Amino acid sequence: MTEGGRARLARRQAELLSALLGQNSDLSGFNARQVRTAAASLQGKRVRAIVRAWPRLAAALGPDFGCEVGRHLDEHPSPPADGALSDGQAFARGLAARACLPWEGRLELLAVELRWRFGEDGRRRQRRFGARLAVGRPFRLAVAVRAPGVGERWLRLPP
Amino acid sequence: MSEGLGALGLGIGWRPELAMAIERRLGLGFVELTAENHDPDGPLAEPVRQLIGRGVKVVVHGVSLSLGGADPPKPDRLAALSRLAGQSKAALVSEHVAFVRAGGVEAGHLLPVPRTSESLQILVENVLAARGALPVPLALENIAALVEWPEGEMGEAEFLTELLERTDSLLLLDVSNVHANARNHGLDPLEYLDTLPLHRLAYVHVGGGVEREGVYHDTHAHAVDRASLALLEALAARVQIPGVMLERDDDFPPADELAAELDAIREAVVVGAARRHDP
């Protein structure tokens, strides 16, 4: 195939994808209702995948989850290449930056970052070694380490 | 081997949430591992190793190659599929006729490709590149698409058939996706089956879905619907099905409900196969 063919396909696919992610309202030729349905489906699948990968965070946010995850999607219209674990990590970090991350979510973030590293190739890999600390107010503390032969060890105060 | 089924038999998509139910379910011929959920440098999950030790076969399934995209498949993604296939002694790798990223942006899900001769040619080249890098045969799966390209030059079954013939690939037929597209885009599902080169069939997916506001959504979070089972039966009446598996990705049901879904799938194959033998 000539590069022209690949470039044409790339352009058309990028146009469709940006419309599905709410970034392009000028998509020609497509059935607008189908595009709206597909866009809503993509967003719904993304949110459900975050809930599945981050159950403690979703539960801790409770009724605020919908509004907060909506804000995350607005700020990051395209999901990351490495899936819902990484998507939820960005969500949790965004909440932490606004001091809106509940303690249970903080612990889940700590657990995920202790165990996983996210590669530039869009794949996650297990860490062999790791150490993480979280402190909350009113005073709460969690320390976790991970090492071969030891597994994961946690200290939480209050226990 | 289950009655009416070929070498793979009855299977299920392996998920950590289902590991216990899968381990206890006797008579499973195979599990499908989604490559993106496995550490590309790490060992196989212990429950999967145990299944392999018991003689359960493995098929490796990819969701992020973007074979229908404008770029050739990435070598590191192909290497990860190859490594997992080697680790799990998989006889087969499968992927979708879809694109999942464009312009450096991820979709997070499978999207349809335009059914033009130009995009078919690109797809053929991408599939041949993937096949050349994989240690085992590649099976290609039809997807459920909520949106249709305006520049379609051929029908979905015709497009898929051309692709399979020109790349000499196997077919992973998702009967629930056939139902979804038939329901949403007004196709005749039986005509679809009759157009496909069924001698290329490697295995079959069945998954649950739900209808909302007149649109069928292939969710893998609901029970398998009757229409998908009827299509599976119609398929079994046309060809021996080498393997068939349930896909469940969300709202995981208790083990007995899961077992009942697997039983219903096997039953549909048995009934269809009987029609094939004794029309």
Side-chain angles (χ1 to χ4, degrees), chain B residues 29-52:
Chain B
F30 75 109
V31 290
E32 184 190 71
L33 303 183
T34 303
E36 287 74 6
N37 293 342
H38 292 263
D39 184 339
D41 301 332
L44 276 181
E46 183 54 31
V48 174
R49 278 217 297 267
Q50 286 179 8
L51 290 171
I52 294 170

Side-chain angles (χ1 to χ4, degrees), chain B residues 183-204:
Chain B
R183 177 71 188 78
N184 294 336
H185 307 302
L187 308 175
D188 177 344
L190 296 180
E191 196 179 305
Y192 185 100
L193 295 186
D194 287 331
T195 307
L196 292 176
L198 294 180
H199 63 280
R200 294 188 178 274
L201 186 64
Y203 67 113
V204 177

